[in-house]
Amino acid sequence: IESEDLQYDRERARKASLRYFEKMQKDGVVDVDAVFACNDDMGLGARSAILHLEREGVQFRRHLGIVGYDGVKEMRDYLDNHDRWVIGTIDVKLKEQISRCLDIMQMMIEQGVRDGRVELVDPVVYRV
């Protein structure tokens, strides 16, 4: 199920997750396998929704895994501490991407080149 545009916001993701999980709930059990979040904040919002529902007595039929995107410290900390819900994140090395981009832009300006070279930054996958 794809959500509406949540603008990469943790609280919006939390509220949307609550709505989706409650719709999928049957007899106090939610049947969902995983959540893939477009960024880690949204993944953390989904995690918050899961914890809330658990406190309300809702159960999940299977172990639900959350995978985020960004590799933020909070997600990596959950992984390092073997969090029950967070199973992975992808660090896209944003600072390195920005640095390379600025270098390429500077070269393009200095050399009057319109087509810059492409340099890919390999992501780092963190997982349980």
Side-chain angles (χ1 to χ4, degrees):
I1 299 172
E2 184 177 342
S3 73
E4 70 273 13
D5 182 359
L6 302 173
Q7 301 185 7
Y8 304 100
D9 182 82
R10 185 182 299 203
E11 186 56 27
R12 287 181 184 196
R14 179 184 183 281
K15 289 176 182 176
S17 296
L18 284 171
R19 283 194 313 272
Y20 288 117
F21 293 149
E22 287 172 354
K23 284 180 187 176
M24 292 182 231
Q25 183 183 163
K26 183 173 180 175
D27 299 324
V29 178
V30 178
D31 190 11
V32 176
D33 293 321
V35 171
F36 175 77
C38 292
N39 75 352
D40 284 342
D41 264 344
M42 292 171 58
L44 293 167
R47 181 183 181 278
S48 176
I50 292 166
L51 295 175
H52 172 83
L53 291 172
E54 278 192 316
R55 284 190 300 271
E56 299 288 318
V58 174
Q59 297 176 1
F60 289 81
R61 186 169 315 284
R62 293 177 202 76
H63 178 74
L64 169 65
I66 300 170
V67 176
Y69 193 81
D70 286 333
V72 299
K73 184 175 179 349
E74 189 174 355
M75 286 290 271
R76 292 190 325 256
D77 287 346
Y78 281 123
L79 287 164
D80 289 344
N81 291 301
H82 305 286
D83 183 77
R84 184 171 165 204
W85 303 109
V86 176
I87 63 170
T89 184
I90 300 166
D91 182 354
V92 294
K93 299 182 184 176
L94 189 56
K95 289 180 183 178
E96 187 176 341
Q97 286 187 48
I98 291 168
S99 178
R100 285 191 190 183
C101 180
L102 291 173
D103 289 344
I104 291 169
M105 289 174 59
Q106 182 177 0
M107 181 269 309
M108 291 171 68
I109 291 167
E110 289 172 354
Q111 296 179 7
V113 177
R114 293 189 64 84
D115 294 324
R117 67 183 187 267
V118 174
E119 290 186 26
L120 300 177
V121 177
D122 292 329
V124 176
V125 178
Y126 298 93
R127 62 179 169 253
V128 177

